[in-house]
Amino acid sequence: MTATPEQTTATQTALQPVGGGGVVVVERKQPGQSYGQGIAKGMAVVIRHFAKSFTSRIDDKSDQAGMFTVEYPEERMELPEAYRNMPVLLYDDKTGQELCTSCFQCERICPPKVIHITQAKDPNTGKAVPAAEEFIIEYDSCMSCGLCHEICPFDAIKMDHFYELSTHDHLAMDQNKAALDRPISYYQAIAPNLWAAVEANAMKKLQNNVKRRPGNIGVAPHMIGKTQKALPTAAAAGAGAAAAARPKTPVAAIGKNMSPEKVARLEAIRAAKRGGATMPGESEIVAPSPVASGESGLHVAESQAGLAPSPATTPAPATGPVAAVGQSMSDEKKARLEAIRAAKRAQGGGQ
Amino acid sequence: MLKTEELQINIGPQHPSTHGVFRLMATVDGETVVHLEPVFGYLHRNHEQLGEIWTYLQTITITDRLDYFNSMINEHGYCMTVEKLASIEVPERAEYIRVIMSELSRILNHAAAIGFWLQDMGSWGTTLMFGFRQREMIMDIFESVGGSRMMCNYMRFGGVARDLTPNLVEQINLFLEGFPQFIDDFERLMMENEILLARSRNVGVLPKELAAAYSVTGPVIRGSGIPYDIRRAEPYSIYDRFAFDIPVGSVGDVYDRFLVRMEEMRQSHRILRQAMEQLPQASGSYINQAYKAASKQQGLRLPAGEAYCRVESPKGELGYYIVSNGGNSAYRYGIRAPSLINLTALNDMCRGYTVADIVVILGSIDIVMGEVDR
């Protein structure tokens, strides 16, 4: 290969000064006679960074050297509010009323067409009711684009932050309404600002829609029979349930300038808060949500997402107008619920 | 000289250094390449056809998946085309946010591209991770604005989906503060490395005339010495407001392309600095209020006609062509993908060099198969 003529010095010549700025010819380095010096220079950089990785962490975006990796199963990245993974449905904490009115906007906008909605009908009149009878999302084909939550006029469909969705059971990725339902407090915990921006509007619309829903239509399946008969109000469950619903993060805030003992202290405070705040919530409402009943939010999400091998995740055969019994319930509760349902069914038959 | 029999060898499609499912049919004479034929199409996903079925808004989500290293610029180009056809005004602040995101994408792409190129050259891991750390920081910003690290789905017709929060502005400023240190370290790491110089200098030379004849764009044509940059040649968005230099090479070899990318990162940083300074003074909202509702975007019907818009993607000229017949999805939707066109010059770049050089030359073009095959 013959040597090509090259610029040996730094040439900063403006060839075509158009607009604001010119053209720079990049400076080419010549292979010097001192073999190995360039490699040594590079190694010096590597060694400097290597040494720093033992002593410091990269705390913010201006830091250039230090430990950067997050040791995943033990530590977790703090997710931004806008983070989107899979869509979930919201329901009111107190009344269990779902925000969804089956307007089919999300089904229509969904690019991969994975949302399937059935509109609820009034069993007496046969007329459509602003509520979803069944709501299925094929999680396995969802592209997480977030258009459904962007278009939803009732703020009923929101993007979850739960990302540990891997499973061996491919078919279980089809999520029915029972598996998709999350309390508002759960979403409030993961995205407080985003929810605050839409809360007033969403709750107002929900109140109007609830008036047109007879019986238990539109109530989250596992909440049937456990709720107070009242119109939903804003910020139903309050801070207690919100704190309980927050996905458990072992380390408080990764990437923040914190010493380990400070993190531990903060963690202790949080744990105390979580424990303290759940109690009044439980006594007030009879298990307002599976989240508030002592389980961590992560586990609930896991079981609701149908990842834990539980038989309840497969949609139960439709025996009546009411949907399947929630999966995260004690046997005693299930029996009680069944009794209530049987009574209701008998009542309906008598009419 | 002894005449030896020519041998045809296949590199790929399942080969780690072909940057995806991409096959090279190389005819070699001993160790020297005499002919090289790129074979692609293994990652065809019917992108353009989907764009003709889905509505304009839905199609934004798949433009992310073209060149998945710079989804922001892909969206920018696509939204510009639709806006041009529908004559949608973009507020000033939205333009600034778009430029900020585009330039962050350029840094992200070049940091990763150089890292991968060095990895192809045998500098396993270390250099790639330097680039990847910076990429990760930018992706954190993307995650905060768009919701996803790579498939941002952030731009909308007439603006962007979400405004920059003060916290995010601070994050971007912090990133810009630390960036010069990164680029200096990155440069010191490899720039004078003897092995890099030996393997990249005068390898894969693409002469000026040939580069223009192949209509390659991006760092490949600039490395060959032609200062062609869409941001300068046909200023789109608000690029005419910023002072930046266009780096060009003098030889047109692999080394020049590497240097051009390094300098481009510095220039992107320069643009970002100016954009962040001017952002608070920018008037208007983050989106055109008439198109703020997602239902407005979804129901968008473009007047019959056609439009072509191009943007400077980190790989070169990225063009979108939309023909509308008045419906709510494109009648014809076509893409000029820079990776694909740059790849056509591969045969001429590789001829006469050794088999080991193929990988280095291919890495210097910086292709993404998602864009080549669509």
Side-chain angles (χ1 to χ4, degrees):
Chain A
M1 202 69 38
T2 50
T4 334
E6 292 169 4
Q7 276 85 351
T8 47
T9 51
T11 44
Q12 296 262 319
T13 39
L15 299 180
Q16 284 178 353
V18 197
V23 175
V24 245
V25 178
V26 288
E27 181 196 345
R28 287 169 70 90
K29 292 270 192 302
Q30 293 287 359
Q33 295 300 311
S34 51
Y35 285 102
Q37 264 193 18
I39 294 176
K41 259 189 182 175
M43 278 311 286
V45 174
V46 173
I47 289 166
R48 185 160 53 80
H49 280 259
F50 180 63
K52 262 236 164 153
S53 69
F54 288 100
T55 55
S56 71
R57 255 196 110 87
I58 290 188
D59 291 325
D60 62 45
K61 291 198 190 318
S62 64
D63 264 15
Q64 285 302 321
M67 187 69 177
F68 189 58
T69 46
V70 174
E71 287 169 24
Y72 161 59
E74 286 84 30
E75 301 176 327
R76 272 152 213 273
M77 307 261 291
E78 211 183 10
L79 294 172
E81 273 189 42
Y83 176 79
R84 54 186 149 83
N85 199 341
M86 290 290 161
V88 291
L89 293 175
L90 295 189
Y91 67 83
D92 185 66
D93 283 71
K94 255 194 187 124
T95 57
Q97 293 281 359
E98 286 167 339
L99 275 66
C100 177
T101 61
S102 70
C103 67
F104 296 96
Q105 292 264 33
C106 51
E107 188 177 314
R108 238 172 264 142
I109 203 172
C110 180
K113 297 275 175 257
V114 298
I115 301 178
H116 310 281
I117 308 173
T118 319
Q119 195 168 35
K121 294 245 163 39
D122 190 326
N124 300 322
T125 59
K127 274 188 185 160
V129 172
E133 165 93 43
E134 189 48 285
F135 199 108
I136 292 170
I137 301 180
E138 299 166 46
Y139 268 17
D140 50 351
S141 304
C142 172
M143 67 200 275
S144 301
C145 63
L147 287 180
C148 51
H149 100 121
E150 225 165 276
I151 201 162
C152 183
F154 302 94
D155 293 292
I157 192 163
K158 291 289 172 195
M159 303 308 276
D160 200 0
H161 285 198
F162 181 73
Y163 49 82
E164 285 157 329
L165 289 158
S166 64
T167 175
H168 290 289
D169 191 359
H170 189 69
L171 290 175
M173 297 296 278
D174 285 358
Q175 303 290 298
N176 61 356
K177 201 171 74 163
L180 287 169
D181 272 328
R182 300 279 188 287
I184 284 175
S185 54
Y186 172 78
Y187 185 67
Q188 209 172 15
I190 59 173
N193 292 326
L194 290 182
W195 176 248
V198 297
E199 180 173 5
N201 190 27
M203 295 316 281
K204 203 176 131 201
K205 281 182 174 169
L206 176 61
Q207 282 179 17
N208 288 337
N209 285 320
V210 165
K211 287 173 195 158
R212 291 160 58 202
R213 291 175 179 172
N216 274 332
I217 292 175
V219 178
H222 66 277
M223 294 289 284
I224 292 172
K226 289 195 277 179
T227 54
Q228 300 162 342
K229 194 71 187 166
L231 280 182
T233 49
R246 178 179 283 276
K248 211 165 82 187
T249 41
V251 177
I254 292 147
K256 290 278 146 54
N257 201 357
M258 275 185 193
S259 60
E261 57 264 38
K262 200 175 169 190
V263 171
R265 201 146 34 96
L266 196 74
E267 195 54 33
I269 294 168
R270 280 195 184 174
K273 261 191 192 158
R274 219 176 284 148
T278 332
M279 291 309 162
E282 274 195 335
S283 60
E284 215 175 283
I285 316 158
V286 193
S289 69
V291 174
S293 60
E295 293 182 60
S296 82
L298 212 66
H299 278 136
V300 173
E302 202 169 39
S303 64
Q304 287 195 344
L307 302 172
S310 72
T313 47
T314 47
T319 45
V322 276
V325 180
Q327 53 265 46
S328 46
M329 282 180 193
S330 65
D331 288 351
E332 182 200 339
K333 265 183 203 164
K334 269 185 196 162
R336 197 145 44 95
L337 194 66
E338 277 305 329
I340 295 168
R341 282 191 185 174
K344 280 226 173 90
R345 234 172 274 143
Q347 213 177 26
Q351 275 170 358
Chain B
M1 205 174 131
L2 188 71
K3 174 76 187 145
T4 50
E5 200 181 334
E6 286 175 359
L7 181 74
Q8 201 176 57
I9 55 165
N10 269 309
I11 306 175
Q14 307 291 342
H15 191 279
S17 63
T18 54
H19 297 256
V21 272
F22 172 53
R23 183 168 138 222
L24 292 158
M25 270 161 58
T27 313
V28 290
D29 181 6
E31 188 68 14
T32 317
V33 178
V34 289
H35 186 74
L36 189 111
E37 206 173 304
V39 184
F40 33 75
Y42 294 95
L43 206 63
H44 184 71
R45 309 182 301 291
N46 247 329
H47 178 96
E48 292 179 3
Q49 185 75 58
L50 267 180
E52 290 158 19
I53 298 165
W54 288 0
T55 63
Y56 294 109
L57 175 64
Q58 287 172 337
T59 309
I60 296 181
T61 61
I62 41 167
T63 57
D64 290 340
R65 287 148 173 87
L66 277 174
D67 171 3
Y68 38 80
F69 272 97
N70 60 323
S71 50
M72 287 290 190
I73 296 182
N74 295 341
E75 288 167 19
H76 193 175
Y78 179 73
C79 289
M80 271 169 54
T81 318
V82 172
E83 282 154 11
K84 187 179 178 185
L85 200 49
S87 341
I88 299 173
E89 290 253 330
V90 183
E92 206 180 14
R93 186 178 169 84
E95 291 280 27
Y96 271 100
I97 297 173
R98 282 182 176 189
V99 165
I100 289 164
M101 292 305 151
S102 294
E103 291 310 311
L104 283 173
S105 289
R106 202 178 311 279
I107 293 176
L108 181 155
N109 180 81
H110 284 343
I114 293 171
F116 277 123
W117 178 67
L118 293 167
Q119 171 135 328
D120 286 348
M121 215 180 268
S123 156
W124 278 102
T126 309
T127 40
L128 176 64
M129 284 307 136
F130 268 77
F132 256 47
R133 190 191 58 213
Q134 217 59 19
R135 174 171 180 260
E136 194 62 42
M137 288 180 178
I138 299 174
M139 287 207 295
D140 278 350
I141 296 169
F142 287 175
E143 196 174 28
S144 304
V145 294
S148 188
R149 286 148 44 88
M150 286 172 84
M151 305 302 150
C152 304
N153 192 13
Y154 181 52
M155 311 243 175
R156 293 286 177 271
F157 310 128
V160 293
R162 226 172 261 113
D163 202 1
L164 287 186
T165 58
N167 175 42
L168 215 50
V169 171
E170 193 187 317
Q171 291 289 312
I172 298 172
N173 277 328
L174 272 175
F175 171 79
L176 295 181
E177 213 173 278
F179 186 76
Q181 173 70 37
F182 157 76
I183 194 98
D184 287 348
D185 273 359
F186 206 37
E187 212 172 78
R188 214 168 303 136
L189 196 64
M190 290 314 285
M191 203 75 118
E192 288 174 49
N193 191 309
E194 279 81 3
I195 301 167
L196 181 137
L197 291 174
R199 287 213 61 186
S200 64
R201 276 166 58 90
N202 302 326
V203 169
V205 177
L206 186 68
K208 231 179 195 177
E209 298 73 30
L210 202 57
Y214 269 119
S215 78
V216 296
T217 43
V220 182
I221 200 167
R222 290 195 283 275
S224 296
I226 301 176
Y228 180 69
D229 188 316
I230 314 288
R231 293 175 292 174
R232 185 63 56 75
E234 189 193 321
Y236 58 94
S237 193
I238 47 165
Y239 274 108
D240 49 353
R241 298 188 189 182
F242 306 116
F244 62 98
D245 296 329
I246 298 172
V248 293
S250 43
V251 179
D253 57 1
V254 168
Y255 187 51
D256 262 345
R257 280 166 225 149
F258 161 64
L259 294 173
V260 163
R261 289 206 175 91
M262 288 297 255
E263 185 58 31
E264 259 179 40
M265 281 202 271
R266 288 181 193 279
Q267 298 301 333
S268 283
H269 178 252
R270 228 173 119 189
I271 297 174
L272 278 167
R273 273 263 184 237
Q274 298 168 48
M276 290 306 284
E277 246 168 53
Q278 297 168 19
L279 179 69
Q281 283 94 48
S283 65
S285 172
Y286 65 96
I287 192 166
N288 189 334
Q289 292 301 312
Y291 295 91
K292 197 178 176 186
S295 48
K296 266 270 161 40
Q297 306 250 349
Q298 165 75 348
L300 189 70
R301 281 173 186 276
L302 299 195
E306 56 179 38
Y308 178 79
C309 261
R310 49 189 192 155
V311 290
E312 180 70 24
S313 107
K315 268 107 184 158
E317 175 183 334
L318 173 67
Y320 287 93
Y321 177 59
I322 291 177
V323 183
S324 166
N325 60 356
N328 63 356
S329 58
Y331 176 73
R332 176 75 181 98
Y333 165 55
I335 296 157
R336 184 218 190 266
S339 291
L340 171 68
I341 311 237
N342 291 354
L343 205 53
T344 54
L346 188 65
N347 184 13
D348 277 300
M349 281 192 232
C350 289
R351 208 180 301 123
Y353 298 98
T354 59
V355 174
D357 288 334
I358 294 178
V359 172
V360 178
I361 296 167
L362 181 66
S364 79
I365 305 177
D366 181 20
I367 57 162
V368 162
M369 290 318 286
E371 192 177 57
V372 174
D373 290 340
R374 302 194 287 287

